[in-house]
Amino acid sequence: MSNSTNRSRLLRRRPRLALCQEDFNILEALAEGGFRRNPDLADRLFDELSRARILSAKKLPSNTVAIGRAVTYRDETSGQETTVKLVLPADADISQQRVSVMTPIGIALIGLAEGAVFHWKTRDGASRAFTVLRVSSGDTHAETLLQ
């Protein structure tokens, strides 16, 4: 196999995911409940959950995107950086940069670590690549529940 073929496969490999058990349980319930409203989105979330490494809330690295944490990512096409806080659907408010975990971007971000690159399809079918630059060290949803 040529070096360019190996590089191409590596670039398409999906990044590793890590979730705390509590967030996993919440996301699984949201996906199950979302099947009637948006089966494609629920399937996408189940796919992500199936490949996640599950940790206790205390062991989840602070540089990993979780419910309740802010994340800054860069669009590699435009160079634009965006910061959002990943929240539960009831807490979503795009005017305050609070993005639901039950949106395509929320599903794409959950569980990623700083430095991860993820690929994104826009509504018009264009491919984009985003890089996770920073994750706040704020409390995760699970850490808040444990307090």
Side-chain angles (χ1 to χ4, degrees), residues 7 11 16 23 30 45 60-61 75 80 91 93 95 100 104 133 144:
R7 181 174 162 80
L11 291 174
R16 293 180 181 195
D23 281 2
L30 287 170
L45 181 53
L60 188 70
D75 181 327
Q80 180 179 351
D91 300 323
D93 183 346
S95 69
S100 170
L133 301 175
T144 301

Side-chain angles (χ1 to χ4, degrees), residues 10-23:
L10 287 174
L11 291 174
R12 282 184 266 145
R13 183 182 293 157
R14 295 188 297 178
R16 293 180 181 195
L17 302 178
L19 296 170
C20 67
Q21 183 67 57
E22 294 82 0
D23 281 2

Side-chain angles (χ1 to χ4, degrees), residues 77-140:
T77 302
S78 68
Q80 180 179 351
E81 292 184 14
T82 304
T83 301
V84 297
K85 184 173 185 178
L86 214 55
V87 298
L88 295 174
D91 300 323
D93 183 346
I94 197 63
S95 69
Q96 294 183 11
Q97 291 77 41
R98 297 167 64 90
V99 173
S100 170
V101 294
M102 284 302 291
T103 60
I105 191 71
I107 292 170
L109 287 168
I110 192 74
L112 295 178
E114 289 176 356
V117 176
F118 63 101
H119 297 273
W120 178 263
K121 291 269 190 194
T122 63
R123 290 182 184 182
D124 61 3
S127 292
R128 305 288 277 281
F130 293 140
T131 302
V132 176
L133 301 175
R134 286 178 299 285
V135 178
S136 76
S137 59
D139 290 344
T140 66

